[in-house]
Structures are given as structure tokens and as C-alpha cells.
Amino acid sequence: MHEPFLKVDAVTKCFGGLTAVNNVSFQVQKGEIVGLLGPNGAGKTTLFNVISGYYAPTHGSITFSGRDISGMPPYKLAALGIGRTFQVVKPFAGLTVLENVLIAAFLRYPKRADAERHAWNILDKTGLTDRANVTAAGLTLAGRKRLEIGKALALEPTFLLLDEVVAGLNPTEADKTVELIMQLKNEGMTILIVEHIMRVIMNISDRLVVLNFGEKIAEGTPAEVSRNPLVIEAYLGEAAA
Amino acid sequence: MKNFTARQGVLAFVVLALVFLPLLSSDTFVLRVVTEAVMWVGLAIAFDVIAGYTGYLNFGHGAFFGLGAYTVGILMMKAELPFAVALPAGGAVAALAALIAGFPTLRLKGAYFAIATWALSRAIQQLALNMDITGGPDGMRLDAFLNPQFFYYLMLGAVGGTFLVLWYLLERAPFGLKLKAIREDEEGAKALGLNPTMLKMQSFILSAIPTGILGGIYAYWITFIDPSSTLGDLVSDQAVVMVVFGGMGTLFGPAIGALLIFAFKTVFWAYLSKFQLLYLIILGALIAVSVVFMPNGLWGTMLKRRNTVRREPEAP
């Protein structure tokens, strides 16, 4: 792999005097699942928002498939093949589940009939078929998190950013979502995932990037990272390290 | 399916009745009232494009109507252009106004958008009151073309055409769903490849064009326009009331709301004109009650009832 699929290069994001992400660099190779880890307020979601175009980086750059995408708006990134979910789910509450997915499907399938066919496939894949005509407001949290993934998948992305899609689910639901993520990986999808549940993130990630107070403190395989004293300190305090 | 064909039947009957009305009744009062009712249907559905589908409550809708009316008035009376040229220009001026007003105001949300558009429309009214070319507070008189049938069919054609175009764009083409996505969650829509700024602007312009054209027809039909009749609060307020009462975010809802409220107004003013004050009180109370008890409006409530009867209970 000469050219990395995603290259985050010295990215800093400030809000006024607060530096939420400070000089973070890492790379994601094609077909990898990279986990983004860190205690609350470490800057994971801010970094997600910078990569997905919701914030422009204050310094640094982001390169996707060899193209500088820093500061590009989210809708252009969606067209380039970047799909994302939101930690605080953003369903179109008043519309049906099918319509929610259909809106995303229009990006690749401008004709309604094609888009509908594609949307039904996505619903099938995410296990929402029997909920198709329910309004999104009527879904359970698990359903809404699946819908988030479904909408992102309907964009036919090559790179998927998943922001806490497992947190808040019961173990059975969580397993189903993990299964879906592994299936996507087998199909060749590249994924960057933020997740608080260690059992999940340790198992599915090829590599981990750990943030604390906006800075990268560790990077490596799950086994390496879990032995890293800086990581243990960040999670359990100085004494434990 | 049975429900659907019944609806088609009613629709076909209404369309036929409207097309043949001038042959059935030679009463010019009836024709005049129906012409205006049809106009309000057009204004209400055009307003609903930005307000109901896109979620941006435009309290300056009347400004597009007034701009269309004044454009036709000025082009016909000062530039001596024919009506056929002046009318499309009325729609174009309204579209241009939406483009210019949209840049600053479409960034705002909720009540702020409503206040900003209301203020802009008041500013336009003040302009009309103070400029020479508009005749100031005295208004403008247009050369009369006394042919009620012509105006009836023109209004019917314009509103019917508007309805068909909007129905296709909003209910059949992807555009309508994209607008609803903006209404439901603008930030979430961006992640799905939608450009909210562009879509909101398109929606605003789509709402303005038919409104400007209807204003132009109104000016030539009534032959007298002044700042209070075409640029006052009335047009905006009435459109808001009709759409909220009928059901936002649909096309049939605002159309039904417009017809019912206009019928109520006409009956009231024709037979109970001594109690004009009461009309506004009843209208206000009706809106308050419908917002509280039917937030989806008349049509939305009917659809919901039908759907809940049909749909099987949800599993938990």
C-alpha cells in the first residue's frame, strides 16, 4: 500500500480558546477497520466531524484516496464515497423508514424506481424490512441506530465512519450490529469506528488510535494498545499505570 | 385501493365542474368568487412548498404576490408592454426577489426566519408606498379588460398548472423527499449528499414564481392595486391560516384549507358584513383550536386516521 486510503495529517481543531483536537496524525489503509478510542471528551467526535466535513480543520489536512478533502462540505464527501453515522442519531423522524433510506439512495440512483429497489436491499441488509412503512420516530433506539447505518450504506460508500453504533444496545442487538460490521468488512469496506464498548472495539478493530485531551497518545493493534501505559493511565488513572 | 379511486372520482368531478362552471352559471358574482377562491388555492399550495415541505415558515409570502402585481402594473402602464409579456416578468421578478431575500434569510431557522421574511415584506410595502413609479399610497390603475370568463380560465389554468407541476416535483420526483429531509434534519441531510443551501433556494424560488404570476393576473383582473391590498399582511396571513388549517406538507391539505376558509370569508362578508370584527375573531379562534387539536391540519388528520385504521399494530 503506497498511498494510504485516508491520511489524517497533523489535524488541529480549535473552538475559540479550546483545542479539541491537537496535532493528530494517523492513516487508514484500504479494507481496514480502525477503532478510535479515548475517554469522554477526548475529541473523538470532533475528529469525526472534521473528517466528514462538518468542521474545517484549524490546521493540518485530510487526504482521501489521494485527494485533499480538508474543509469540503459533507454532501460533497458523500458523493466521493464517505458515509457516516451520528452518535446522537439523526433520523428524519416524520418520514417512514423506507423514505429515510430512499433519500440517501437518490445520491447514486437519481431515478425513483432504481432508488427504491436499492433502498429495499439496504433495508434487507440492516434488518429493517418489516419496519419499512413505520415512521422513523416509531423505531426503538436499536432500530434508529440500524437506520443510521442503513442511510450511510445507501450512499454506497467506500469508507464508513461509525460513531457509537453499538453503545446503548442490549447484548443481542449489539451482536447483530457487530455481525453487520464484520459482513461489511468482508465485502471490502474500510471503516473508522468510535465505540465505548471495549469488548466490541477490541474484537473488530485491526488497529486502534487512542486520543486523550485531543492528542494522540497511542496507536497499534488492540493487543499493543491495551498494554500501553499511557492508555492505561488515561482510562484508569496514574496509580494504575 | 377503494379509497383511492373514490378520491380520483371526487377529483375528476371537481375538475369538470370547474372547467364547465362559466357555462352553467352566468352570474358574474359567482364567477368572481370562484376565480378568487381558485387564486387562493394557488397561493396556499405555493406557500406550502417552502413552509410545509421545507419547514421554513415564510411570513413574507405576500411580498411575492405584490411584486408580481406591481411588475405587471408598471410594465403595462408605464412601459406599455402587452399582458402576455408582463405576466411572465411578474413571475421572474418574484423569483429574483426570492433569490436575493433567500441568501440572508434562509440561514435562519424557525421563528427567526418568520420574523426576517415578515420584516422584508414590510420593507417592500414601504417602498411601494414611497416610490413614484408605484403611485405611492394611491396605488395604480390598470386598463380594464372586462372579460370575467377570460380571467376565470386564466386563473384556473395558472393554478391547475401550478398544482400539476408541484405535484410532480414534490410527490413524484425525488425533490419533494429531499425537501422533507431538510425540514426534518438539516445536518443529517448533509451527510446523505444533500446540499441544503441549494435545495432551500430552489424551494423558495419554486414557491415565489407561481405566487408572482398569480399576483400579476390579480392586478390585471381587479385593475386596481395599492400597497395595502397586494403587499399588506393580509395575503401572507391568509396563506398561513389556510395552510395550517388544511394541513402543511401536503398539496390537497392547503387546497382544501384555502377553499373552506375562503368560502367562510365570502359568506361572512356577503351576508354578515355588519359583524366584520367577528370574522377575524372566529378565524383566530379556529386557528388556535386547529393548531392545538389538529397539528397536522384537516387533511393530515384524515390521512392519519385512515392509516392507523389500515396499519397493523406495531410490535414493541
Side-chain angles (χ1 to χ4, degrees):
Chain A
M1 284 276 155
H2 347 277
E3 183 70 38
F5 193 55
L6 179 85
K7 190 167 140 201
V8 175
D9 191 15
V11 164
T12 297
K13 175 68 198 174
C14 306
F15 297 103
L18 177 84
T19 307
V21 174
N22 191 3
N23 200 24
V24 170
S25 302
F26 66 92
Q27 300 182 351
V28 178
Q29 304 298 339
K30 194 151 183 46
E32 258 190 324
I33 296 187
V34 172
L36 200 54
L37 212 58
N40 282 331
K44 303 180 298 284
T45 294
T46 303
L47 188 55
F48 249 57
N49 284 337
V50 173
I51 296 174
S52 61
Y54 277 82
Y55 303 141
T58 314
H59 300 293
S61 69
I62 296 155
T63 317
F64 175 69
S65 289
R67 186 169 175 177
D68 185 5
I69 58 160
S70 340
M72 262 195 203
Y75 49 87
K76 283 197 180 150
L77 297 183
L80 288 179
I82 299 182
R84 72 161 294 179
T85 69
F86 291 88
Q87 183 188 355
V88 180
V89 291
K90 292 187 178 296
F92 303 126
L95 307 182
T96 68
V97 169
L98 177 66
E99 286 172 329
N100 267 266
V101 177
L102 200 50
I103 287 162
F106 287 136
L107 180 69
R108 305 285 176 214
Y109 304 92
K111 279 194 186 151
R112 194 175 176 116
D114 300 340
E116 280 195 23
R117 204 172 310 125
H118 181 55
W120 280 110
N121 286 339
I122 296 291
L123 290 181
D124 188 41
K125 195 166 189 169
T126 47
L128 287 166
T129 309
D130 56 335
R131 285 272 169 278
N133 292 316
V134 176
T135 57
L139 288 177
T140 59
L141 178 67
R144 270 176 276 162
K145 293 220 164 185
R146 299 213 130 217
L147 179 58
E148 280 287 302
I149 303 178
K151 281 155 77 177
L153 286 180
L155 302 169
E156 297 197 334
T158 51
F159 181 43
L160 199 55
L161 293 136
L162 301 175
D163 197 351
E164 300 206 9
V165 287
V166 183
L169 304 187
N170 69 38
T172 324
E173 295 162 347
D175 286 346
K176 268 167 76 184
T177 300
V178 169
E179 213 172 278
L180 176 62
I181 295 171
M182 292 319 288
Q183 185 195 338
L184 292 172
K185 179 188 160 71
N186 290 337
E187 290 167 10
M189 183 81 75
T190 310
I191 298 173
L192 182 65
I193 180 168
V194 166
E195 195 52 77
H196 268 310
I197 302 175
M198 289 297 159
R199 179 176 68 92
V200 170
I201 195 127
M202 290 291 173
N203 281 332
I204 65 175
S205 306
D206 298 307
R207 284 190 307 119
L208 293 174
V209 172
V210 189
L211 299 181
N212 195 24
F213 296 115
E215 295 182 29
K216 186 173 91 172
I217 58 168
E219 183 176 352
T221 64
E224 286 164 10
V225 164
S226 60
R227 284 195 301 270
N228 188 316
L230 281 173
V231 176
I232 298 169
E233 185 187 319
Y235 273 90
L236 301 172
E238 222 169 305
Chain B
M1 248 7 229
K2 199 178 168 195
N3 229 324
F4 192 68
T5 45
R7 196 202 294 181
Q8 281 177 326
V10 171
L11 206 61
F13 174 77
V14 170
V15 170
L16 282 177
L18 283 170
V19 169
F20 291 108
L21 178 86
L23 306 176
L24 301 175
S25 169
S26 54
D27 188 339
T28 51
F29 173 74
V30 170
L31 204 56
R32 193 191 166 98
V33 166
V34 178
T35 305
E36 198 175 341
V38 169
M39 180 183 88
W40 280 108
V41 168
L43 291 175
I45 57 173
F47 170 76
D48 197 38
V49 175
I50 186 77
Y53 281 87
T54 322
Y56 280 74
L57 207 55
N58 173 17
F59 267 86
H61 192 61
F64 297 140
F65 181 80
L67 282 170
Y70 270 100
T71 302
V72 166
I74 290 167
L75 287 182
M76 288 181 73
M77 300 312 292
K78 312 276 171 178
E80 295 187 351
L81 288 170
F83 179 64
V85 176
L87 187 62
V93 167
L96 191 67
L99 186 72
I100 295 167
F103 270 110
T105 59
L106 285 171
R107 291 162 195 274
L108 306 168
K109 278 181 186 162
Y112 299 101
F113 177 77
I115 293 167
T117 48
W118 176 82
L120 273 178
S121 70
R122 297 281 64 77
I124 291 173
Q125 189 184 15
Q126 287 304 315
L127 272 180
L129 275 167
N130 287 293
M131 291 201 312
D132 288 332
I133 196 166
T134 57
D138 300 332
M140 291 185 82
R141 201 166 287 285
L142 283 81
D143 289 334
F145 177 59
L146 298 174
N147 187 338
Q149 270 90 359
F150 169 77
F151 285 108
Y152 174 75
Y153 281 117
L154 185 62
M155 200 70 93
L156 192 64
V159 172
T162 301
F163 195 99
L164 287 177
V165 169
L166 293 185
W167 182 80
Y168 175 75
L169 286 176
L170 300 173
E171 297 293 337
R172 280 292 163 270
F175 186 63
L177 265 183
K178 290 180 181 177
L179 293 186
K180 287 180 184 175
I182 303 287
R183 177 187 75 197
E184 297 289 324
D185 195 319
E186 210 164 316
E187 291 302 302
K190 276 192 212 164
L192 302 186
L194 305 187
N195 179 348
T197 313
M198 183 69 83
L199 285 165
K200 286 187 284 186
M201 194 57 94
Q202 290 169 341
S203 162
F204 206 28
I205 291 173
L206 184 64
S207 170
I209 292 173
T211 310
I213 289 176
L214 292 177
I217 299 174
Y218 174 86
Y220 195 30
W221 173 42
I222 299 294
T223 72
F224 174 72
I225 52 176
D226 70 351
S228 69
S229 68
T230 62
L231 283 164
D233 287 320
L234 187 82
V235 180
S236 302
D237 293 354
Q238 202 121 261
V240 172
V241 166
M242 287 166 171
V243 171
V244 169
F245 178 67
M248 295 176 94
T250 64
L251 283 177
F252 285 105
I256 291 167
L259 289 176
L260 288 179
I261 289 190
F262 185 74
F264 170 64
K265 179 185 167 179
T266 305
V267 168
F268 211 95
W269 285 31
Y271 303 108
L272 299 161
S273 54
K274 269 182 278 180
F275 308 102
Q276 271 191 27
L277 191 66
L278 208 58
Y279 164 73
L280 286 173
I281 292 173
I282 294 173
L283 201 62
L286 185 70
I287 290 317
V289 168
S290 77
V291 166
V292 172
F293 294 104
M294 307 190 300
N296 297 314
L298 206 59
W299 184 251
T301 308
M302 276 163 58
L303 280 185
K304 212 167 197 178
R305 183 157 299 168
R306 207 191 69 192
N307 284 347
T308 41
V309 168
R310 230 194 244 170
R311 193 186 294 153
E312 280 158 38
E314 285 172 28

